[in-house]
Amino acid sequence: MLDLFLIFSPEIVRVEQLLLMSDEFFPDIPKIEFEGTDSKNPLAFKHYDANETVGGKTMKEHLRFGCAYWHTMRNGLADPFGEGTAERPWDDGSNSVENAQKRVGAMFEFMQKCGIEYYCFHDRDVAPELEDLQASHDAFDAVADELEKAQKETGIKLLWGTACLFAHKRYNQGAGTSPYADVFAYGAAQIKKAIDVTHRLGGEGYVFWGGREGYATLYNTDIGRELNHLAALLRMAVDYKKKIGFTGDFFIEPKPREPSTHQYDSDSAACLNFLREHNLYGELKLNIETNHATLAGHTMMHELEVAMAANALGSIDANTGDELIGWDTDQFPTNIYLTTQIMLCVLRMGGFDKGGLNFDAKCRRESFTTEDLFHAHIGGMDAFARGLKIAHAILEDGRLEDFKKQRYSSFDSGIGAQIENGEVSLEDLEAYALKNGEPQTQSGRQEMLENLINDFI
Ligand code: XLS
Ligand code: NI
Ligand code: NI
């Protein structure tokens, strides 16, 4: 009886439709399933089980994986020494709107087969830049029609959109920080359109990454003026967002350099300072990328903690760099310590709100087949599933958090609480120190805590 009801329930029919998947672009690859740690199947998840519950939420609710259009669909895998190698048989290599529309099918089939529920794009990844701005706007709209259709058919959602203000030659000296007002205006127009399309597609967020918002030499650069211009651009975007009722979050993505010599949004601290100085704090959160953190000379955990301390961690570009090469190599994250540290931060924050884990990552130039795209994403998803489970277990255990809490407990009462509450002056503290003599400290126990983490890995 129950079974019959299920079969004929209109809701179930709808769910079945959602699961319908094209097989046109990756005919040799089945839907990637969770097979558990005993499986030897490279095209299966060993750890990521989308609907498994960890601490009251499913894995997919915790992790909110996103697929990057620019890497998965558009990166030919060229490097500074050689042309692209990637095999993408559906792509005719042309700049036509039809080719761009066809690509949408490949992207969505790929995401469905991986079980990835979000994606991210730049305007120029999804649609071509054509002979003038109006033609480019129109092309963007025509591809957005296809994206909207594909979202409806698959239930896949847009995590964030953005505008590419770094690839075209007009942006050779920046967009918001270009010394040319007409370039600034063109960039602003691209941002407006990209926010419109992101809004139309129900995006959860919108990212600002200023790849060329920095300088190559200070001999020709007025830093103060450029920073004021960048702030003006972001202020206009915030005003526009409110005007059209876009309720997604705005994120700014730190990176210290490359392609510029110095990028103004160099790390979390620099971004936060910039936002505060220009009265934009609270309007934008941060989208933090692992490879950018390491290029800035920080760990990812450092960047996340700095953002969290300012209540400004929004989203994550989940990748990793090659420590020996030192470029933004955008590799897929497979290091369990890294994913554990990231998930410790995310869980301590109480989870993502509108952000997620966007795989801003590409296959190696040597890994040029379509199958490699699957191995790459499977590896990243499994690594984060393990990071999630380990981080959750560490927090449940409580010893790490208790240690940290205990370490600051002298500020919970007495003179410490008075310091935190702003109730004492330097004179008061001099009197206190004279009276109480030499202060005592306790071991920071770094090695013990590192051992504790290892017990869970
Ligand atoms: C490049 C950035 C870029 C942003 C989006 O290094 O990571 O991909 O995420 O513009
Ligand atoms: Ni990124
Ligand atoms: Ni990057």
Side-chain angles (χ1 to χ4, degrees):
M1 186 58 207
L2 190 66
D3 283 347
L4 271 182
F5 168 75
L6 281 176
I7 289 166
F8 292 110
S9 149
E11 253 159 290
I12 297 297
V13 173
R14 195 172 48 79
V15 169
E16 287 298 321
Q17 272 169 358
L18 284 183
L19 294 179
L20 277 184
M21 190 159 29
S22 100
D23 220 7
E24 181 185 345
F25 301 94
F26 306 93
D28 303 331
I29 312 276
K31 168 125 178 57
I32 309 300
E33 305 286 358
F34 170 71
E35 292 184 5
T37 48
D38 290 338
S39 168
K40 299 264 189 293
N41 176 6
L43 290 172
F45 296 117
K46 315 298 186 311
H47 304 275
Y48 179 65
D49 186 1
N51 293 313
E52 182 186 329
T53 312
V54 179
K57 269 200 320 196
T58 63
M59 282 197 179
K60 70 175 183 187
E61 287 166 342
H62 276 291
L63 298 168
R64 292 168 61 87
F65 289 126
C67 188
Y69 215 99
W70 55 101
H71 284 308
T72 302
M73 284 298 122
R74 304 307 310 277
N75 201 316
L77 306 181
D79 71 16
F81 299 94
E83 63 186 18
T85 56
E87 292 170 356
R88 304 290 181 258
W90 56 83
D91 200 308
D92 66 16
S94 77
N95 215 21
S96 72
V97 172
E98 294 69 41
N99 192 29
Q101 286 175 320
K102 187 164 183 209
R103 228 182 257 127
V104 172
M107 179 71 173
F108 277 72
E109 183 183 316
F110 176 77
M111 289 190 287
Q112 270 194 306
K113 286 190 165 171
C114 287
I116 295 179
E117 299 197 338
Y118 293 92
Y119 71 109
C120 302
F121 65 67
H122 300 85
D123 48 1
R124 303 307 184 230
D125 312 325
V126 288
E129 170 131 22
L130 297 177
E131 61 283 1
D132 61 36
L133 185 61
Q134 189 58 56
S136 300
H137 277 3
D138 295 344
F140 197 9
D141 284 332
V143 180
D145 292 343
E146 289 304 305
L147 292 168
E148 193 171 13
K149 235 188 283 165
Q151 287 185 199
K152 281 211 182 95
E153 277 166 23
T154 61
I156 289 170
K157 296 180 279 287
L158 179 61
L159 189 63
W160 50 259
T162 186
C164 175
L165 304 184
F166 46 88
H168 192 278
K169 67 179 183 211
R170 79 175 68 85
Y171 298 122
N172 66 79
Q173 290 162 64
T177 61
S178 170
Y180 303 103
D182 284 2
V183 174
F184 183 104
Y186 206 103
Q190 241 185 280
I191 288 176
K192 175 186 173 291
K193 183 69 184 175
I195 294 174
D196 283 338
V197 173
T198 301
H199 181 41
R200 169 186 168 190
L201 295 175
E204 306 262 315
Y206 183 91
V207 162
F208 295 86
W209 173 63
R212 295 192 195 271
E213 312 295 21
Y215 60 80
T217 172
L218 285 171
Y219 291 134
N220 64 13
T221 301
D222 184 335
I223 288 189
R225 226 166 158 183
E226 292 201 358
L227 284 170
N228 286 339
H229 295 170
L230 188 57
L233 183 61
L234 292 179
R235 170 54 59 194
M236 286 180 225
V238 167
D239 290 346
Y240 186 66
K241 166 192 179 189
K242 291 180 180 161
K243 184 173 168 212
I244 64 172
F246 174 55
T247 53
D249 277 347
F250 271 3
F251 305 121
I252 191 164
E253 183 175 322
K255 183 174 179 180
R257 70 186 75 84
E258 192 197 282
S260 61
T261 302
H262 174 77
Q263 188 178 315
Y264 295 129
D265 304 328
S266 52
D267 63 2
S268 289
C271 284
L272 289 165
N273 179 60
F274 171 80
L275 294 175
R276 286 185 175 116
E277 184 178 342
H278 295 278
N279 292 321
L280 289 160
Y281 176 74
E283 304 286 8
L284 292 98
K285 292 181 174 172
L286 304 190
N287 176 42
I288 298 181
E289 176 168 322
T290 313
N291 207 159
H292 299 179
T294 47
L295 278 176
H298 303 308
T299 62
M300 179 61 165
M301 197 170 185
H302 165 93
E303 286 294 85
L304 296 175
E305 295 276 0
V306 169
M308 279 164 64
N311 212 3
L313 174 56
S315 198
I316 288 176
D317 269 6
N319 66 9
T320 193
D322 184 315
E323 281 165 24
L324 300 179
I325 297 182
W327 297 339
D328 193 13
T329 53
D330 286 340
Q331 289 168 233
F332 277 83
T334 53
N335 182 319
I336 308 301
Y337 285 94
L338 171 68
T339 58
T340 298
Q341 289 171 0
I342 292 174
M343 291 316 297
L344 271 175
C345 292
V346 172
L347 291 179
R348 282 181 24 236
M349 174 172 82
F352 290 115
D353 177 17
K354 309 224 164 168
L357 293 168
N358 166 47
F359 289 118
D360 191 350
K362 63 185 180 203
C363 290
R364 298 304 82 202
R365 187 168 183 268
E366 297 86 339
S367 313
F368 47 81
T369 74
T370 52
E371 185 180 312
D372 290 302
L373 289 172
F374 287 90
H375 295 306
H377 286 81
I378 291 168
M381 292 164 82
D382 265 348
F384 268 98
R386 289 177 80 180
L388 167 63
K389 284 197 254 187
I390 295 165
H392 174 70
I394 291 170
L395 294 179
E396 283 286 283
D397 170 81
R399 279 175 292 163
L400 185 70
E401 296 302 283
D402 288 349
F403 184 88
K404 204 193 267 188
K405 197 163 180 296
Q406 182 57 33
R407 189 157 175 258
Y408 294 91
S409 59
S410 66
F411 284 91
D412 291 343
S413 58
I415 194 73
Q418 286 179 304
I419 292 171
E420 282 198 350
N421 296 332
E423 291 164 5
V424 284
S425 65
L426 278 188
E427 296 99 303
D428 296 332
L429 292 178
E430 183 190 38
Y432 180 89
L434 285 170
K435 178 162 166 257
N436 285 278
E438 189 56 32
Q440 300 300 307
T441 65
Q442 286 167 23
S443 168
R445 298 257 188 266
Q446 177 170 338
E447 295 79 1
M448 181 191 85
L449 296 173
E450 286 168 349
N451 295 349
L452 188 153
I453 300 288
N454 270 358
D455 286 344
F456 287 86
I457 288 198

